Amino acid sequence: MVSAKPKPFYVLHGTDEFLRDAHRRELVAALVGDADPQLCVADFDATVELSEVLDELRTLPLLAPCRVVIVRDADAFVSAHRKALEDFFTSPPVTASLVLIVSS
């Protein structure tokens, strides 16, 4: 599922919560490898502030090859911060991936 070099962001799309969660777990496992997810995965709901997400993406991973930042139910988050996210990912960090879980 994940190439040797992690992508700067991934979008998990769909309305089936079970399938989205299964793919999220698979993706996180592929990105962090054997590292402890508690040290390198930040998981937020849609009410998170953009600054907090960007700070997490800029933080270096601790004892892991990649830091993973997840935003669940991110439809409204993406709509509200689309331009800022596009600007941020013109020069994305090489040590982090953003996972957006959306239904539409």
Side-chain angles (χ1 to χ4, degrees):
M1 176 192 259
V2 178
S3 63
K5 183 180 177 192
K7 303 292 184 204
F9 68 93
Y10 297 87
V11 176
L12 300 179
H13 173 272
T15 56
D16 187 320
E17 186 71 32
F18 176 79
L19 289 176
R20 287 190 316 191
D21 193 55
H23 287 290
R24 180 200 51 81
R25 282 183 275 123
E26 184 179 324
L27 180 60
V28 168
L31 289 169
V32 302
D34 294 333
D36 183 354
Q38 291 183 357
L39 299 175
C40 56
V41 177
D43 197 335
F44 299 106
D45 64 17
T47 62
V48 67
E49 294 292 326
L50 176 64
S51 60
E52 193 169 357
V53 170
L54 297 181
D55 286 347
E56 288 289 340
L57 288 167
R58 291 181 188 112
T59 302
L60 293 174
L62 181 63
L63 304 173
C66 180
R67 184 158 190 77
V68 179
V69 180
I70 300 167
V71 180
R72 297 173 185 270
D73 301 320
D75 298 271
F77 177 83
V78 171
S79 295
H81 305 294
R82 180 179 220 87
K83 177 69 173 133
L85 290 169
E86 289 172 352
D87 291 346
F88 182 80
F89 283 108
T90 59
S91 181
V94 296
T95 59
S97 293
L98 175 63
V99 178
L100 299 169
I101 302 175
V102 297
S103 59
S104 62

